[in-house]
Amino acid sequence: MIISVQSDRDAYLKLDYYQADGTVVHIVPNLFGGQAFIRAGQIYSFGGPGSMETFTVSEPFGAETIKAIASTKPFDQTLNSSRSAEESRSYLGHLQTATRGLKVTQGTLEWAETAAGVTTTSKAAAEHHAAVAGARGAKQQN
């Protein structure tokens, strides 16, 4: 899996992967690296060629979410977890409490976030679905 992000301004990045089993994996920052600073307009890839990270998706499969938060200021240490993965409900509760009161000041956006939904499946299931779809397509052509 490769995750790419881009910002329209220089920012600090917080990137989390919420898994189907209810855990959240902290991609950036994590135990192996501190704050990630990204430059405006550049595309940053995590898990791709040349990346220090490698991501392998394993079961349980299902609906998952990747969430990115960007800030023009470094994240407060209370937003950084001391674990690489943890139960997502308690983490989200802590994140909500720690970010309460954030605001736009002097017309300058200091914080932005986005999320992308992902549905994961096993490689065997994906190959089976592709084979079935291929067989249907061949049958319809005859």
Side-chain angles (χ1 to χ4, degrees):
M1 178 172 65
I2 301 169
I3 301 170
S4 297
V5 296
Q6 182 178 21
S7 175
D8 62 353
R9 54 174 67 182
D10 291 353
Y12 292 90
L13 176 67
K14 185 164 186 49
L15 189 61
D16 291 319
Y17 187 89
Y18 295 84
Q19 300 182 122
D21 67 357
T23 60
V24 57
V25 177
H26 306 295
I27 297 171
V28 176
N30 59 41
L31 296 175
F32 309 108
Q35 299 269 351
F37 186 77
I38 58 175
R39 296 276 177 202
Q42 276 191 277
I43 297 173
Y44 293 84
S45 293
F46 301 89
S51 177
M52 293 180 5
E53 305 89 1
T54 301
F55 306 123
T56 303
V57 178
S58 59
E59 54 184 80
F61 301 110
E64 302 185 325
T65 303
I66 300 166
K67 183 170 185 162
I69 302 173
S71 173
T72 55
K73 297 180 182 178
F75 291 102
D76 187 281
Q77 287 302 317
T78 60
L79 292 178
N80 297 333
S81 178
S82 61
R83 295 176 271 181
S84 61
E86 61 187 291
E87 195 276 321
S88 61
R89 282 188 182 192
S90 61
Y91 172 70
L92 285 170
H94 172 72
L95 187 63
Q96 183 178 12
T97 300
T99 58
R100 178 164 284 152
L102 291 177
K103 61 182 182 232
V104 175
T105 57
Q106 299 176 355
T108 302
L109 179 65
E110 294 182 357
W111 181 280
E113 63 183 87
T114 191
V118 178
T119 301
T120 58
T121 187
S122 70
K123 188 173 184 178
E127 289 170 351
H128 173 74
H129 290 299
V132 169
R136 284 187 192 142
K139 187 177 181 180
Q140 289 175 356
Q141 288 179 356
N142 292 333

